[in-house]
Amino acid sequence: MPRSKKLFKKRKGVGKPVPNSAGSKTPERRDVDVTKDSSSKRKLNKNVSSYDKYKYEDSDVYDIISFKELNSLLGEIASCRKCRGQLSVFATQINGLNAMVNVVCGRCEFSVRKQNSVSLPSKNSDINVRLVYGMRCIGKGEESAKMLCGILNLRSPPSFKRYTKVLTEATKSVCQESMRQAAEDAVEENEGSRDLTCSFDGTWQKRGHCSQNGVITVISAGKVLDISIFSKYCRCPKRLEREHLPTCCANFEGSSGKMETHGVMELYQRSQALYNVRYKFYLGDGDSSAFSTIEELKPYGDECVPVKQECVGHVQKRMGTRLRKLKTAWGKKKLADNLTMGGRGRLTLDAIAKIQIYYGLAIRRNSSNLENMKAAVWSTFFHLLSTDENPSHSMCPKATDEDCWCKYNKAVAKNEPYKHADHLHLPKAVMDEVKDIFRALADPTLLKKCLHGNTQNSNESLNNVIWSILPKRVFVMRNVLELGVYDAVSKFNEGNIARCRILEALGINPGYNCVSTMKRFDEVRMSKAEKAVQEIEKKCRQRKASAKRKLEEAFEAEEDPDKPSYAAGEY
């Protein structure tokens, strides 16, 4: 059966970009300003050169060897210096991957014994510490280490419990120094003022309000300044015995949601003692009562009263959330024009996403000017409401404005015709229902908190790093939680060079392979971040997201609730 249409279209934009010729309608491929570096490059660029300070010998590496092959090699080239007998090598396990290598002569009593790994001041072996720390860095534990060693035909790994404490102490010391330096960098970026603008956020290992573990973070100038780590899990036989057991894992009681409020209080109360700074401007997502608690607490007295700011990204999401709720609430009910809320040319998922983007741009492009911001939000509403019969573009930017985005005003200025497309403009019946949402989100009280133009993207990025090291599907106790969080914060602030410093804090020389690998990871991270901020990459992500939304919309429209697409034993 022949194909009804082509399954694949010719790829566009492949190869080198061709410059626009005069009169060409092909849009020019433009990237963002090259002078504006990505956040990762700003943080890591100066640290990459720090790798050069590490000195090592070419032989300062580990290799996996086969004792069978080693014995064969010794039999061909070496002999006992006493009796010229044949030498043989075998290993006896001490602990984990640390083994005693024995070289013995088969004819006389000559023998030499030496460990295959360096002994550390903590009486642990270098190779075992590296194994445990490496597995923790990739979010795996002892069982995964056993599987790895089994597949590689290595000896069984050591018990991870005895190494957790020493690793936590080392990662904590490096993390604290990293946060101290981050505080000084934030003050320097704030032109010497020690009253900082900080974003606060809480993250939990499990979704909902039943997580046993939670982490509260404060970030300024793209780096973490301080953290609070909480765990409700306790193995004590009796609750009353917790006070008498200093090693108890639990350090918090109450609902998981209150961890954020309690953590923010701790962060405020010790900011001056740790760094001699004050968190004056509080950037939050509005999902907790933490700021109201800080207002009552007055950690800095009446001299410095914290000021609430809203994350622009979270405020922007409110538009999409409320529009989706409105669409769901109406369902198949008819509007004033006797049509449903959804459907082609109406409030689809793709249209909601575009309105959300327009609302966010109205806030970001008019930061520091409340009246212009409010006017830009309403100009979006009337622009969407416009039709060929009743255009309403008086509030849109003029064609002479440098940042004019209104194609209607541009067309009028050039005396060209313009047709209001369905995917860019919505019917009046739909916009009448949407108007209340615009009215609430254009409230000056809300927009005033967005004049700064800042977001909590750094907090969300940090949360992703934390839970990649501590997978949410695997519960961990407080000691492992602290180890993972300290490691994540150090990596977030300084890059993978922090892991070399953690090894140094453990008394371990990182070595050639370790240093070169960590440096390569940081270079790749910067390269990916620089690519991600390019305009062409943003457009590609937007097209993929739009195609996904349209697919979801089509599936939702075709799905018959009376005949489910899947049911056990139905077909």
Side-chain angles (χ1 to χ4, degrees), residues 365 396-407 409-410:
R365 290 174 175 174
C396 295
K398 305 301 180 184
T400 55
D401 295 344
E402 183 179 355
D403 58 347
C404 179
W405 46 263
C406 181
K407 294 182 180 180
N409 286 344
K410 289 182 178 180

Side-chain angles (χ1 to χ4, degrees), residues 279-281 291 295 298 300-308:
Y279 306 145
K280 182 175 182 179
F281 298 99
F291 181 74
E295 282 186 309
K298 293 185 178 180
Y300 310 129
D302 297 329
E303 180 183 354
C304 179
V305 180
V307 179
K308 180 68 161 60

Side-chain angles (χ1 to χ4, degrees), residues 13-19 29:
V14 178
K16 296 183 179 180
V18 181
R29 292 175 60 175

Side-chain angles (χ1 to χ4, degrees), residues 4-22:
S4 59
K5 61 179 180 180
K6 291 183 179 180
L7 294 181
F8 303 99
K9 295 182 179 180
K10 184 178 179 181
R11 295 179 64 187
K12 297 181 180 179
V14 178
K16 296 183 179 180
V18 181
N20 279 356
S21 57

Side-chain angles (χ1 to χ4, degrees), residues 12 95 111 125 158 202 336 367 377 385 524 532 539:
K12 297 181 180 179
N95 178 38
S111 65
S125 64
S367 58
V377 174
L385 181 62
V524 170
K539 296 296 183 183

